[in-house]
Amino acid sequence: MAKIKVANPVVDMDGDEMTRIIWKMIKDKLIFPFLDLQIDYFDLGIEHRDATNDQVTIDSAEATKRHGVAIKCATITPDEARVKEFGLKQMWKSPNGTIRNILGGVIFREPIICRNVPRLVPSWTQPIVIGRHAFGDQYRATDFVVPGAGTLTVKFEGADGQVIERKVFDFPGGGVAMAMYNLDDSIRDFARASMNYGLARNFPVYLSTKNTILKAYDGRFKDLFQEVFDAEFAAAFKAKGLTYEHRLIDDMVASALKWSGNYVWACKNYDGDVQSDSVAQGFGSLGLMTSVLLTPDGKIMEAEAAHGTVTRHYRQHQRGESTSTNSIASIFAWTQGLKHRAKLDGNADLEHFSDTLEKVCVDTVEAGFMTKDLALLVGEEQSWLTTEGFIDKVAENLTAALAR
């Protein structure tokens, strides 16, 4: 079968540990045999990030801006133990955080639904898309330990000379303090990206905040979302019979547990971090979740697996033992990125290939061929395949599907 020609390159961000092993298998068995694809390769493994003083992460993000598409393997964010393990020069920041800060945009996470994988929330029969604002808040906060009694204040000095100063708290003794921020332009972009995604998927959009407590901070998110919706999206939503609504976060969580799905849930940064994992587990597995970072104009996408590097399985691999690691989220990182490449290039054959690979993955699991993590969810009688065995089975089924 002739390979599908892909006119423009994608950025390939390699990663760490077991996901790095899987990443190579996916490319060798599911991507390169079928696609004539040029990649702009960056090694984001922890050793190479350390060797380049993390410049490789910055370079990969800049390349993503040029090409419009990046596909990223899971990577290690080092803590003290990892610094010691790898002899790192310093405790480098999260590569995901670095890339997000350069690209901007919103992270959209969506479950991959397999009918035979039991759900912890049985009513969730349709996908729930979590849109996570990937800027500011706790992830760019200044925090510190307060050593003893004293007064905490926060002060803003405007470029025009205006000064705003607020007393925060009189500390009777030691404690902790934090200051965080966000930007009107970033919040507006968050709104546009969430609403554009809702239009693309034909889903209603909900924003959740705690504006009853954080009247100025969360209230700003509520007000700017409404402003953007009224000015830019109300007509398009009405034409499609879609709605936009703001809800308190506690009300939204309660509603989400009752609803069946098919909506975009726009969350502030920390809320999105937590709720995307809750939703993934509620659908059955953290290993069945897509994750894409999309800029508000829809032109740039970075796709990745929503899970980590699977260190425990990598230790087994290092000992020469067989592993059964779920590769589906990593495969979907490739399909999501390639579908965006197809959209940008107007490449119908590439879009068909990507859709087919996604369907084949789900069909393979539903036919009873899966890795151990999913088999344990399905039941004691369910057999399972090794890491490589599952990818081989998907490759076999993909070849058959494309030949039809």
Side-chain angles (χ1 to χ4, degrees):
M1 152 185 343
K3 290 186 179 183
I4 297 167
K5 174 67 177 175
V6 183
N8 294 298
V10 300
V11 174
D12 173 8
M13 302 176 177
D14 212 343
D16 288 299
E17 299 189 319
M18 198 63 210
T19 43
R20 187 182 181 99
I21 305 297
I22 289 171
W23 204 247
K24 186 176 187 305
M25 289 185 195
I26 291 170
K27 288 188 287 187
D28 289 348
K29 298 185 179 188
L30 301 177
I31 304 300
F32 293 138
F34 304 96
L35 303 181
D36 181 0
L37 172 68
Q38 181 185 349
I39 61 168
D40 195 356
Y41 178 83
F42 293 86
D43 183 358
L44 266 56
I46 187 64
E47 294 97 336
H48 194 240
R49 277 183 276 144
D50 188 62
T52 64
N53 296 323
D54 210 29
Q55 184 62 41
V56 65
T57 306
I58 296 167
D59 292 345
S60 71
E62 294 298 336
T64 304
K65 284 184 177 180
R66 292 194 302 273
H67 298 308
V69 180
I71 303 167
K72 182 181 174 295
C73 182
T75 47
I76 291 170
T77 298
D79 56 12
E80 290 89 345
R82 294 293 203 170
V83 170
K84 185 176 180 181
E85 177 185 347
F86 292 102
L88 304 179
K89 299 169 187 172
Q90 66 180 71
M91 198 185 305
W92 301 106
K93 293 181 179 179
S94 160
N96 286 345
T98 299
I99 292 164
R100 289 166 190 165
N101 287 336
I102 293 171
L103 297 181
V106 177
I107 302 163
F108 293 99
R109 290 191 169 178
E110 179 176 344
I112 302 161
I113 300 175
C114 300
R115 286 174 298 179
N116 57 333
V117 176
R119 289 178 287 277
L120 289 176
V121 185
S123 63
W124 287 357
T125 56
Q126 305 296 328
I128 298 170
V129 178
I130 300 292
R132 174 186 168 191
H133 188 207
F135 179 81
D137 296 350
Q138 287 93 326
Y139 298 82
R140 281 195 172 183
T142 299
D143 64 328
F144 60 97
V145 174
V146 174
T151 300
L152 176 68
T153 61
V154 60
K155 182 178 180 181
F156 168 80
E157 297 183 26
D160 59 358
Q162 179 190 22
V163 175
I164 300 173
E165 188 165 2
R166 297 283 188 271
K167 178 181 173 182
V168 178
F169 188 60
D170 285 323
F171 279 84
V176 289
M178 178 176 73
M180 65 184 193
Y181 64 91
N182 223 293
L183 295 174
D184 284 356
D185 284 348
S186 182
I187 297 168
R188 289 190 184 99
D189 281 347
F190 174 32
R192 291 185 183 105
S194 300
M195 291 168 191
N196 275 323
Y197 204 90
L199 286 173
R201 294 299 305 276
N202 210 34
F203 286 176
V205 176
Y206 297 89
L207 167 71
S208 63
T209 73
K210 196 68 173 176
N211 68 300
T212 50
I213 303 299
L214 295 171
K215 291 179 169 60
Y217 198 103
D218 281 25
R220 193 65 174 158
F221 279 79
K222 176 179 180 288
D223 293 346
L224 291 178
F225 258 69
Q226 193 66 51
E227 171 192 297
V228 168
F229 176 76
D230 291 342
E232 303 175 29
F233 291 92
F237 268 58
K238 185 177 180 180
K240 282 197 166 191
L242 300 175
T243 57
Y244 160 71
E245 186 180 346
H246 168 268
R247 291 190 172 219
L248 285 173
I249 180 71
D250 37 358
D251 176 38
M252 187 65 203
V253 169
S255 297
L257 287 171
K258 295 182 291 184
W259 295 344
S260 62
N262 276 357
Y263 57 87
V264 175
W265 180 356
C267 295
K268 291 174 58 197
N269 210 344
Y270 183 81
D271 294 343
D273 194 354
V274 174
Q275 295 302 338
S276 59
D277 282 349
S278 297
V279 166
Q281 199 64 68
F283 274 96
S285 172
L286 288 170
L288 293 175
M289 193 81 165
T290 65
S291 181
V292 299
L293 178 70
L294 195 64
T295 55
D297 59 10
K299 292 180 179 177
I300 299 172
M301 174 189 283
E302 181 240 342
E304 61 179 342
H307 57 68
T309 59
V310 202
T311 305
R312 183 171 58 85
H313 288 196
Y314 184 59
R315 298 295 184 232
Q316 292 175 234
H317 174 80
Q318 287 178 310
R319 294 193 296 267
E321 299 171 7
S322 178
T323 62
S324 183
T325 312
N326 189 345
S327 56
I328 293 176
S330 292
I331 295 170
F332 271 64
W334 277 94
T335 59
Q336 294 287 303
L338 291 171
K339 279 200 276 191
H340 192 65
R341 179 79 278 159
K343 178 183 175 182
L344 294 177
D345 298 350
N347 190 334
D349 289 341
L350 180 59
E351 181 180 18
H352 173 70
F353 168 82
S354 303
D355 287 337
T356 302
L357 178 49
E358 289 186 354
K359 185 177 186 304
V360 162
C361 276
V362 173
D363 288 350
T364 299
V365 173
E366 292 182 346
F369 301 94
M370 63 193 74
T371 47
K372 188 177 181 179
D373 60 314
L374 299 182
L376 291 173
L377 294 171
V378 172
E380 293 181 2
E381 302 302 315
Q382 177 62 53
S383 60
W384 47 272
L385 300 170
T386 63
T387 304
E388 190 166 6
F390 177 75
I391 292 176
D392 285 343
K393 188 64 179 177
V394 171
E396 175 190 326
N397 292 343
L398 177 62
T399 301
L402 291 171
R404 287 199 287 268

